[in-house]
Amino acid sequence: MAVEKFDEIIERSIRIRKLYHELELKQNGKVWTIEQDALGFLSDAGLVGRNTMSHEKTWSKANSDAELKHKLAESIWWIINLSDRMDIDIKEAMDKFLTKTENLF
C-alpha cells in the first residue's frame, strides 16, 4: 500500500472518530475517554476472535464472514484513533515494529 493511501486512511479514520465524539457529546454530554476507546477496541477484537472461529467452522454463526471483514477493519480504525489520542505516530511505530521483527530472522 502506498504511503499516501495510508495517510488518507489515517485522516479519514480520525475525521470519523471526531464525528463520533460529537454524537457522544449529544448522547452523554461528554466524549469517550481514551480508556473507553481502548475498551471499544478490545470489544471489537473479541468479535474478531469469535468470527474467526466461525470462519474456521469451530463456532456456528450466520453471516460471520462479512462481520469478520468489518471487525478487522474496525480494529485497525480503533488502533489509528488510539494512537492519535495518545500522540503516537502510528506509521513510525509500525515501521519500528516491522524493522525490529524483521531483524529477528
Side-chain angles (χ1 to χ4, degrees), residues 33-57:
T33 64
I34 294 171
E35 291 91 347
Q36 287 170 312
D37 279 358
L39 287 171
F41 162 65
L42 290 173
S43 295
D44 287 331
L47 291 170
V48 167
R50 181 64 76 187
N51 285 300
T52 298
M53 291 176 69
S54 180
H55 181 270
E56 294 300 304
K57 310 293 188 245

Side-chain angles (χ1 to χ4, degrees), residues 14-31:
I14 293 167
R15 186 172 53 246
I16 291 167
R17 187 66 189 104
K18 287 179 181 176
L19 293 172
Y20 273 109
H21 284 312
E22 291 175 19
L23 180 62
E24 293 157 7
L25 278 171
K26 288 178 187 174
Q27 290 179 339
N28 305 316
K30 59 184 177 180
V31 300

